[in-house]
Amino acid sequence: MNHYSIFLPSYTMGENPYEKIGDICRPYGTTAVVIGGHKAMAAARDALEEGAAQGGIRILRYLWYGGECSYEHVEALRTQPAAEKADMIFAVGGGKATDTAKALANILKKPVFTFPTIASNCSACTSVSIMYHPDGSFFKPFFFEKPPVHAFIHLGIIARSPEQYLWAGMGDTYAK
C-alpha cells in the first residue's frame, strides 16, 4: 500500500498576531532574514520588528525578492550572506514575494514563516510556488512537501492594503 502525508498550514490571525512571533518561531532559532516587496516590507516593518524583538528574534536584513518569482531571483537571494546565515526566512508581501521566499527556504532547507500584507492570494499557506521567467511569463509550479511553518495574518496591515487586492482574493477563491 502506498502512503502519503498531508501537512496543513497553521496561522495566527488578528489585530496584532506578530506578538506571537517569539512563541512560534523561537524553536527554529533566533535569527531571520526578511524577504519581500518594497511596499509590503515598509507596511509591515514596524510591527514586524517590534514583534520579532519582543520574541527574541533578530532580523539580520531585509531583502527585495526581485520583482518576479523566478529561479534566477531565488538564486540571487541564495547568494546573499544574510540568507545563508539566518536560521529562518520571513516572507513578507503578496503572492510573488512569498512564493520567492518559500522557494528559497525550500532550497536552503530552512523554515519559512509568512507575513501576508494583501488578501489577493493563498501563497502564505500553500506548499507550492508559482515560478515565472524573469520577464514575467509563466514557467511552472514548484511543489514542496510542506507549506510554510506558520502564517502571521495581521488584519490591520491587510485592511490598509489597496482595495483591488481584496477583490482579487475573492476572485482567486472563486476560481479554486
Side-chain angles (χ1 to χ4, degrees):
M1 173 184 234
N2 290 331
H3 296 344
Y4 63 92
S5 298
I6 296 176
F7 297 91
L8 301 175
S10 66
Y11 62 91
T12 301
M13 180 171 54
E15 291 183 27
N16 192 5
Y18 297 179
E19 291 176 345
K20 302 298 284 179
I21 289 173
D23 295 339
I24 294 164
C25 298
R26 276 298 298 256
Y28 298 90
T30 58
T31 59
V33 64
V34 177
I35 296 172
H38 294 303
K39 291 178 185 175
M41 289 189 294
R45 189 173 191 137
D46 290 343
L48 184 59
E49 287 185 354
E50 182 179 334
Q54 287 175 353
I57 305 294
R58 185 167 55 99
I59 295 174
L60 300 179
R61 190 151 177 227
Y62 287 78
L63 299 172
W64 180 53
Y65 77 101
E68 289 296 339
C69 181
S70 68
Y71 285 110
E72 291 82 358
H73 290 138
V74 170
E75 178 58 23
L77 289 165
R78 190 190 63 74
T79 66
Q80 292 291 317
E84 183 60 38
K85 184 177 179 185
D87 297 322
M88 63 197 99
I89 307 289
F90 284 3
V92 177
K96 289 185 179 186
T98 55
D99 275 359
T100 302
K102 289 180 341 188
L104 175 66
N106 186 271
I107 289 166
L108 292 176
K109 298 187 183 341
K110 294 188 182 217
V112 61
F113 299 86
T114 58
F115 300 81
T117 57
I118 57 177
S120 67
N121 62 82
C122 59
S123 175
C125 294
T126 62
S127 56
V128 62
S129 287
I130 304 305
M131 305 304 289
Y132 295 85
H133 294 285
D135 68 3
S137 61
F138 174 76
F139 181 46
K140 66 179 182 178
F142 178 18
F143 293 98
F144 322 123
E145 183 181 352
K146 299 177 184 177
V149 176
H150 197 84
F152 295 89
I153 303 168
H154 194 303
L155 297 178
I157 291 171
I158 290 174
R160 289 188 294 275
S161 69
E163 182 180 300
Q164 71 262 26
Y165 294 117
L166 178 60
W167 289 108
M170 290 178 194
D172 185 60
T173 300
Y174 279 128
K176 292 179 176 131

